[in-house]
Each structure stands twice: as structure tokens, then as C-alpha cells.
Amino acid sequence: MHTPTSARQIDGARFRAVLGSYPTGVAIVTCIDEHGLPAGMVIGTFTSVSLDPPLIGYLPMKTSRTFARMGGSPSFCVNILAADQESVCQHFASAAEDKFAGLAWHPSPAGNPVLDGVVAWIDCDYASVTEVGDHYIVLGGVLDMALERDTSPLLFFQRGYGRFTPGPLVAAAERETIEAVQLAEIGRDEMEAVAVELEAECSLVAAVGGDVVYVATENRSPDFRLRSRLGLRVPCAPPLGPLFVGGPGAPGDAEWIGRLGRADQDTIDASLAQLERVRTRGWSIALQGPDEGENLEEMVALYSDRHRTPGQERRLLEAAKERAGLHEPADLPDDGRYDLRHLSVPVRDGAGRVVLVLRLSALPPGASLLQVRQWLARLQQSAARLEHTITARRARSPAPRLRA
């Protein structure tokens, strides 16, 4: 066997990009170190190796201080993370001194930490450790193993985390979208009346599966003949979708903020301030940026494809974060002129939950604050009538109804 010289000619970024197109599971290897303390590290290179004898393998970096610390233990445990444990993964990948602080775990038969909520765990001893390039290949002889939860695993793909979604779950999301469309049909007359009266685009959007989805739209703007937004969706993540946060089909406050990923404290604080402004005002506003156009619309279209990749999702989230300052501005001077991307008001059911948002867009540029307030008042008028209609119809029949 020989070492190929061509490997030295491959750029590291290119190597990661190409290999990142192959999804891998995410696991945390744990043990009790020689001082009797729990230790653990994230691995994305775990694999089964042999059935007879039962062997598994993973590849830690040779520079890993955690792996060096774990070498004093005669055994280790592979914890296969569940799709809802991305925060656990991020915690172990962080620079936190105590990776087990605040995390619940229990000992495996070999005494190694098994994190609560994992899909499965595998206790192993060391069959071999071999140096290869800048990594070790660790082979573990399986001592014991068990399934903990019947749920989807966490996947790593194109530098992003996600989950495998089987057909029945896709069907469930489609049912929720259908229910949202049926609910929007109740408000179609109001939506169309606003579009005609204001010569603008008026849409009804709903929160479905953590996304904000356009479920009905009408464009009567003489100047903006836009591609139809019907069916388009964006992630309910800062600064998007604040009116829905905490309601049916949308993330709660902590999950909404968590979708920022590894954000600095200033970004987190700014997002929380935007959320609070929306809740205090009772409506949402987004301004048009100077460089917005086909590129952003194309990113939204790619995200709306059910077969989107984590890379496409990440690019849209990054674009949204870059434009965060255009959403929910703290100050709206009376003498200002405003180019609106959209103006939105909530539509609530009888229980006070936001089930739809009435959104106005494709508006003339350079609007005065007085004009913005007039548009807002007209939207709120229609939203109030729509709320009354929804409440009355649901009193007669429970359908359509969005899942909480």
C-alpha cells in the first residue's frame, strides 16, 4: 500500500465541501477519566465495522485534548444523538470547561455516561488505536448496547445539522399545510379587498412545521408584478416570523433564538429586543434593503423546495441575519420616508392564538409615516373582521384547525 502524493494538492476547504455532501450521524463518545470525572467529545465519523466480532469505529483528531484525556479509561460509550439534541451537540463542541454541567446522564453497565434522551448507546473497550494522517482510527470491541428512544437521529450535512424525515412525517407536514390553506380560504375575501383597495399585494401566511408559509396571496399592484409567493416558505428564525413565535406551528421563544446558531450576545440581544417590540406594538414591519432582489427571492424559492439541502437553508438564514437591521426598527421618525418590504398584523383565534398573519407588500416606495399608519389601520381593520369570522365558524364547526 502506498501514500498518494495527490492528496497534498487538495485544498482543505474544497476537501470539506465535497466530503460534506455526504451526511453522517452525530454521536458523543463518553467515559470516566482516570480522575473519576465524566469526559466526552463530539464525533461525526462513527461507523459499524464488523459483526463477528462486533466492532465499531470512530476517528478523533490527533490534536484532540479530550481524546488524550479519555485514553486513561479502559472503555468508552458511544451516545447516538437524537434529532432534537442539536443543543447537546453544540454544548459539547463549545469551549465549556465542564461539558456535563446541567446535563442529565446515567452510567452504562461499564460505568460510562449515557446522556438522557439519546437514540442509543454502545459500550466498548479499545480493540486498537491506529495513527492515520491527522487522525486516529479507534476500533472498539462492543461490550453492551441498547436502544433508548424510538426517534430520528441527528445528522450532519453540508456544515449544518438536520434530521432524516420519513414519509409519514412529510405527510403530516403536508396535512398541516392543507389545514392552513383551508383556514386562509375563510379570509380570502378580506385579503382580496385589501389588495384591490390599496393597489398592493396582500397575503395570508401561516406557521407550519416551524416555517412561515404563504397560503394565499393576491397582487393588485400596478408597479410590482412579482412572481407568485403562493406556497413559498421561510424559516421562523430571527428576524423572521416574530408574530408567530410561541403559537401553533411555530417555535417558542428559546427555540426561535436558538435558530441563530452560534450567535454573539449582541445579536441575541438585538433579536430579543425585536421580538419584544413586535409584541408591544402588535404588528410587524420590514424595510426594503438596497441590495434586495432576485438573489434573495431565489434563496427563498430554494428553501421552499421540500428537497432543499442544509447548505441552501444556511444561506437563507445568513441572508436574513445580514438584513436583521431592516426588521422591526426601534425608531420610526415622523418625517422619515420608508420603502416597505412588508407590513404584517396577526389574526387570532378565539383562544387568542395567532393562526394567520395578514401581510401587505409591493407598496409604493418613499412612503411617509402617516401613509404607513394608514396602511396599518386598514390591515388591522380586516384582521379584526377575519378574527370574528374565524371564531364564529369554529363555534359551529371545529374544522379547519391548526395543530398546536
Side-chain angles (χ1 to χ4, degrees):
M1 183 176 291
H2 66 280
T3 301
T5 56
S6 60
R8 292 196 294 270
Q9 301 170 8
I10 299 297
D11 175 71
R14 181 183 171 199
F15 183 86
R16 293 188 184 92
V18 173
L19 272 296
S21 65
Y22 181 74
T24 60
V26 185
I28 293 176
V29 176
T30 63
C31 75
I32 299 296
D33 68 13
E34 58 186 352
H35 303 293
L37 298 174
M41 61 184 294
V42 178
I43 57 170
T45 54
F46 169 72
T47 182
S48 62
V49 175
S50 170
L51 179 61
D52 185 17
L55 296 171
I56 57 89
Y58 72 96
L59 284 72
M61 291 190 68
K62 289 165 64 174
T63 55
S64 170
R65 289 179 295 175
T66 303
F67 180 68
R69 174 186 168 194
M70 296 174 68
S73 173
S75 65
F76 60 88
C77 185
V78 178
N79 290 254
I80 299 174
L81 296 185
D84 58 5
Q85 290 186 300
E86 181 180 341
S87 62
V88 176
C89 175
Q90 298 282 13
H91 177 67
F92 270 85
S94 73
E97 192 69 27
D98 183 0
K99 302 293 174 56
F100 289 83
L103 292 179
W105 60 274
H106 56 278
S108 70
N112 300 304
V114 174
L115 302 172
D116 285 7
V118 297
V119 174
W121 57 264
I122 307 168
D123 253 345
C124 302
D125 59 13
Y126 288 91
S128 68
V129 178
T130 307
E131 292 188 32
V132 179
D134 56 5
H135 281 66
Y136 293 111
I137 296 179
V138 178
L139 292 183
V142 177
L143 302 172
D144 204 349
M145 60 198 327
L147 291 170
E148 292 281 308
R149 290 174 65 192
D150 184 13
T151 189
S152 299
L154 183 65
L155 298 181
F156 187 74
F157 177 50
Q158 292 186 349
R159 296 189 294 125
Y161 294 98
R163 69 178 69 201
F164 167 73
T165 305
L169 295 185
V170 172
E174 290 175 346
R175 285 196 300 272
E176 291 181 0
T177 302
I178 290 170
E179 290 173 0
V181 171
Q182 291 173 338
L183 186 62
E185 282 300 313
I186 299 175
R188 181 169 293 278
D189 289 346
E190 284 290 343
M191 178 192 72
E192 291 178 351
V194 172
V196 170
E197 180 182 331
L198 301 183
E199 296 187 325
E201 181 184 67
C202 192
S203 305
L204 284 163
V205 296
V208 178
D211 286 341
V212 176
V213 185
Y214 283 80
V215 290
T217 185
E218 180 73 18
N219 185 4
R220 293 300 182 95
S221 169
D223 302 313
F224 296 92
R225 304 313 302 174
L226 306 173
R227 179 192 308 175
S228 174
R229 300 181 197 270
L230 187 64
L232 291 181
R233 59 177 63 215
V234 297
C236 192
L240 309 174
L243 284 169
F244 288 110
V245 175
D253 292 21
E255 184 183 351
W256 188 72
I257 290 296
R259 292 182 177 184
L260 285 168
R262 294 185 178 182
D264 57 58
Q265 193 59 47
D266 287 344
T267 301
I268 293 172
D269 291 343
S271 297
L272 288 171
Q274 287 179 323
L275 183 61
E276 182 59 31
R277 279 197 293 276
V278 168
R279 287 173 171 170
T280 299
R281 291 169 173 170
W283 47 273
S284 173
I285 184 172
L287 304 179
Q288 195 80 19
D291 59 344
E292 293 187 8
E294 193 65 28
N295 186 43
L296 182 60
E297 296 300 327
E298 184 62 26
M299 283 190 283
V300 171
L302 288 171
Y303 181 87
S304 301
D305 190 317
R306 63 185 294 180
H307 301 298
R308 67 176 180 264
T309 67
Q312 292 164 345
E313 180 174 349
R314 184 173 61 253
R315 285 190 287 275
L316 179 56
L317 287 169
E318 288 171 353
K321 283 192 282 187
E322 288 172 1
R323 294 165 171 79
L326 298 169
H327 293 252
E328 325 307 341
D331 298 314
L332 294 167
D334 288 342
D335 58 352
R337 291 287 171 175
Y338 303 97
D339 298 342
L340 269 62
R341 183 167 180 81
H342 60 73
L343 189 64
S344 305
V345 299
V347 177
R348 303 178 186 274
D349 63 8
R353 303 177 304 175
V354 178
V355 291
L356 291 171
V357 161
L358 192 62
R359 174 166 293 176
L360 194 62
S361 52
L363 294 158
S368 67
L369 185 61
L370 175 61
Q371 178 66 79
V372 173
R373 286 172 174 161
Q374 290 173 342
W375 288 334
L376 176 62
R378 180 64 183 86
L379 273 182
Q380 290 172 326
Q381 182 185 63
S382 281
R385 284 200 289 261
L386 182 50
E387 287 177 351
H388 177 77
T389 302
I390 289 174
T391 301
R393 292 200 183 185
R394 284 189 169 175
R396 297 193 297 269
S397 171
R401 184 173 185 178
L402 290 175
R403 287 176 172 82

